[in-house]
Amino acid sequence: MAISRYFAGAALIAALAFAPAANAKVVDQSEIGFAVAHTAQVAATPADVWKMLRMPQSWWSKDHSWSGDAANFWLDQQAGGCFCEKLPDTGAGVGSVQHARILFSKPNQMLRLSGAFGPLQGEALTGTLTIQIKETPTGSALRFDYVVGGYMRFKIADIAPAVDKVIGEQLLGLANALGGALPPTRDEKAAGEAVEKPKAETPPAKEEPGLGAAVADLVEEEAKPAPDEGR
């Protein structure tokens, strides 16, 4: 599968449809890899989120498949299990693809997978997708973190934004399958803006309802110390 096909339309979809997400960005990148993060909240219990996670055929986009049909996805949520896809028989037999394997599975709380998705699969890369679920007064807060590192023939500056949009599209698909993402609250928007602006001193997190409080320990970035003057 060509990179252009796997990532086709992701930029437009993410820009128009992923507005309800509280935070979505490439959080870090270097010459050897990058990390992206997406957060959202839904009006569904952690148990309902977990049940849906186990059915990727209901939320992972068919546009980011090898067969072109989401019905061919399946996931075994136990450690060592497979997030896989069946390749239908075209005359030479049935094939299959391993998108990722399960590293960590804690029902209603966290699912961690190891896999280089799409065209990244053909490179010497390690990709880790961590999906976290936090209960909130209105349902659940969700966070997708995807960290990629190793050797690749793509330019980081080009591939990182494309992967970021694809991961965002999958979180959107999960949120839609659960009834739709809830818009960020005023506090969540303020928290997101605060993360973007470096501060000399970070105030302690407040116990407030909603996504901001539920994933404050995950979203907040540590301020980098300023270089000593005179050096």
Side-chain angles (χ1 to χ4, degrees), residues 1-151:
M1 181 186 303
I3 184 173
S4 58
R5 177 184 169 189
Y6 195 89
F7 292 136
L12 179 60
I13 293 172
L16 296 180
F18 201 58
N23 188 16
K25 62 180 179 177
V26 177
V27 295
D28 190 29
Q29 69 180 54
S30 69
E31 294 181 355
I32 61 172
F34 60 92
V36 304
H38 288 257
T39 59
Q41 64 173 337
V42 294
T45 66
D48 287 338
V49 175
W50 186 258
K51 182 178 180 180
M52 186 61 67
L53 273 178
R54 296 168 57 189
M55 301 185 292
Q57 67 271 24
S58 298
W59 58 273
W60 193 275
S61 173
K62 68 177 183 179
D63 294 331
H64 305 301
S65 69
W66 296 84
S67 66
D69 187 350
N72 291 318
F73 291 128
W74 83 86
L75 186 147
D76 177 359
Q77 82 277 16
Q78 297 301 317
C82 188
F83 169 27
C84 290
E85 178 183 353
K86 179 180 69 176
L87 299 180
D89 189 352
T90 57
V94 176
S96 60
V97 179
Q98 176 180 280
H99 289 274
R101 61 185 176 85
I102 310 303
L103 297 178
F104 189 101
S105 177
K106 190 171 185 180
N108 305 345
Q109 296 185 43
M110 188 170 78
L111 185 68
R112 176 171 291 138
L113 308 92
S114 175
F117 297 118
L120 301 183
Q121 187 182 81
E123 307 301 307
L125 294 171
T126 297
T128 303
L129 175 63
T130 300
I131 301 174
Q132 298 186 74
I133 309 167
K134 297 280 187 175
E135 186 174 10
T136 70
T138 57
S140 301
L142 312 175
R143 173 158 176 147
F144 279 28
D145 282 273
Y146 190 46
V147 182
V148 178
Y151 177 78

